[in-house]
Amino acid sequence: MNNRPNGGELLAVARRTLLDELLPLLPPAKNYEALMIARAMAIAMRELEQQGGDPSDDEIRQFYRLAGLDVIRGATEQDLAEQIRKKTISKSNHGALHQLLLSLTRTKLAITNPKYLNK
């Protein structure tokens, strides 16, 4: 069974067509909108490439174990934010928390703004 082109490949072709063939034909007043659409397509392509699952949940789960926090409720970003707001993370784990937050931010930037990581 041939599953080609896949969703990411279709998005890449559509994005390239938008930028190379349609954008030059649009009135200059519509360039911003077309570029915004192209950026959204690029983000969607990177998300499709990462479809193996969200590695962030695994990182948070590992941190919870290290910090002795309850993983039963779930190791999601929302739960982590709640733990931070409630100040349930001991000061001895603040260094590991800092590293976790940097890693989560880098993961998101790799999808939404990879050029920023290369600066």
Side-chain angles (χ1 to χ4, degrees), residues 22 29 31 37 41 43 45 52 58 65 75 79 84-86 90 94 97 104-105 115:
L22 299 177
N31 283 356
I37 292 167
M41 293 168 89
I43 291 170
M45 288 184 322
D58 291 336
R65 285 189 193 108
D79 187 64
I84 293 169
R85 277 192 298 276
K86 289 181 176 180
S90 71
H94 283 188
L97 175 62
L104 295 175
T105 302
K115 289 180 185 176

Side-chain angles (χ1 to χ4, degrees), residues 17-31:
T17 302
L18 172 67
L19 292 173
D20 293 345
E21 296 179 27
L22 299 177
L23 183 61
L25 302 174
L26 291 173
K30 293 296 179 184
N31 283 356

